[in-house]
Amino acid sequence: MADHLGSFELMVLLAVLRLDEDKTYGVPIANEIEQATGRSVALASVYAVLERLEDRGWVSSRVGESTAQRGGRAKRHFHVTAKGIRRVREAKGALVKMWMGIRELQGGTT
Amino acid sequence: MKPTDPPALATKLLESLVPLRTSEALLGDLIEQYQSGRSRSWYWRQVILALVISAGREARTRKLQAIRALIVGYLCGASLCYFSTSAAGKFLGPYTVVGAYLLFLPLAFISAAISGWILSRTHSRPMVLVFAIFGVIASLVALAVYALFPGDRMPLPMPVVTWAVTLAINFIIAPLGVLAGGLWGSCEADDASASPRLGAP
């Protein structure tokens, strides 16, 4: 199932797309998901997903700047590729199709 | 050490046993978060989680190498432990049960450390983690099988000392030994690869 997009993978892709270009590394991505879901997210699981997505060609990464606050270690910035954006659109289309026509889910916010 | 420094052992474990592709950026992020007020226990939790996730990923993506690492690690560790305890037993002569355990525990640690060292020098570094975690999982399964089907050789209940030693070896001494050996091997490999660079103009 190399082409399957799981819910956490979708969240990571959406978080990368939502963030400004200089903030698309591990910590802000995890914070973005934590704010949206209210659950704590392990940085290691964010990196595990990002690397899986990179292997599939849905995101690309570049090595960024290193600061003293990071122990001199470089940031790794991620970017959603055109293939990744296409995959997010497909996932959204499928979810919206599934959502439509369900009476119990109409009208409320929760 | 400054109080603001993150736990050095956790950093070293992540640096040495997780592929560079992940460890460099992840460590930077962890240090950044630690400097902004996260606790030492948070840092350790993140590192342990990263080690487990990395081992799982490596085992999934490099199945053949993982199987080979498990076979090599088990053969090295078990045979070293068996021969060293047998030899020590012959050398020391008859000893008490407690004496046997006191002898067995350090020898089990040393055997596990040597198997970890061999793995880190012959396989990719995350395979040390794969072996250590597989050992813990296999011990859990063996414990469950033993509890469900005790058999005739080791009837329940086992003596408390035997339980304590068995649990200590399977869940503490062996995994720590493998990780210590893995760290030792990876540090040696780093030194060896760094030496020519230091001497280079």
Side-chain angles (χ1 to χ4, degrees), chain A residues 25 47 51 70 73 76, chain B residues 15 21-22 29 32 57:
Chain A
Y25 67 98
Y47 273 98
E51 281 169 11
R70 298 174 54 83
R73 290 165 205 278
R76 194 162 149 213
Chain B
E15 205 169 41
R21 180 191 180 197
T22 312
D29 286 2
E32 186 183 318
R57 183 176 159 81

Side-chain angles (χ1 to χ4, degrees), chain B residues 88-110:
Chain B
K90 279 187 182 153
F91 179 71
L92 292 172
Y95 42 75
T96 62
V97 175
V98 176
Y101 288 141
L102 287 177
L103 179 74
F104 193 72
L105 292 176
L107 287 177
F109 181 83
I110 293 167

Side-chain angles (χ1 to χ4, degrees), chain B residues 64-178:
Chain B
L64 278 180
Q65 200 185 129
I67 291 168
R68 196 179 68 181
L70 294 181
I71 294 169
V72 169
Y74 181 75
L75 286 179
C76 291
S79 55
L80 274 169
C81 196
Y82 175 76
F83 287 120
S84 59
T85 48
S86 304
K90 279 187 182 153
F91 179 71
L92 292 172
Y95 42 75
T96 62
V97 175
V98 176
Y101 288 141
L102 287 177
L103 179 74
F104 193 72
L105 292 176
L107 287 177
F109 181 83
I110 293 167
S111 305
I114 293 173
S115 68
W117 181 83
I118 291 171
L119 278 183
S120 74
R121 300 309 298 261
T122 55
H123 292 71
S124 64
R125 289 172 188 182
M127 290 302 156
V128 174
L129 280 177
V130 172
F131 179 55
I133 291 170
F134 179 83
V136 172
I137 294 170
S139 301
L140 277 174
V141 173
L143 209 62
V145 169
Y146 171 66
L148 292 172
F149 312 103
D152 297 331
R153 273 185 70 200
M154 293 181 75
L156 281 172
M158 278 199 296
V160 176
V161 180
T162 312
W163 265 116
V165 170
T166 307
L167 294 178
I169 288 177
N170 287 318
F171 296 106
I172 301 169
I173 291 175
L176 286 184
V178 170

Side-chain angles (χ1 to χ4, degrees), chain A residues 25-27 31 34 41-45 47-48 50-52 54-55 68-76, chain B residues 11 15 21-33 35-36 38 42 46 49-51 53 57 60:
Chain A
Y25 67 98
V27 174
N31 288 344
E34 279 178 357
V41 175
L43 279 166
S45 45
Y47 273 98
L50 284 166
E51 281 169 11
R52 202 157 57 229
E54 191 170 25
D55 291 342
Q69 207 200 6
R70 298 174 54 83
R73 290 165 205 278
K75 287 177 185 169
R76 194 162 149 213
Chain B
T11 303
E15 205 169 41
R21 180 191 180 197
T22 312
S23 65
E24 176 77 6
L26 177 57
L27 264 175
D29 286 2
L30 290 179
I31 293 169
E32 186 183 318
Q33 288 283 284
Q35 301 287 3
S36 62
R38 297 279 197 172
W42 176 87
Q46 294 287 324
L49 207 60
L51 296 176
I53 289 173
R57 183 176 159 81
R60 266 199 315 276

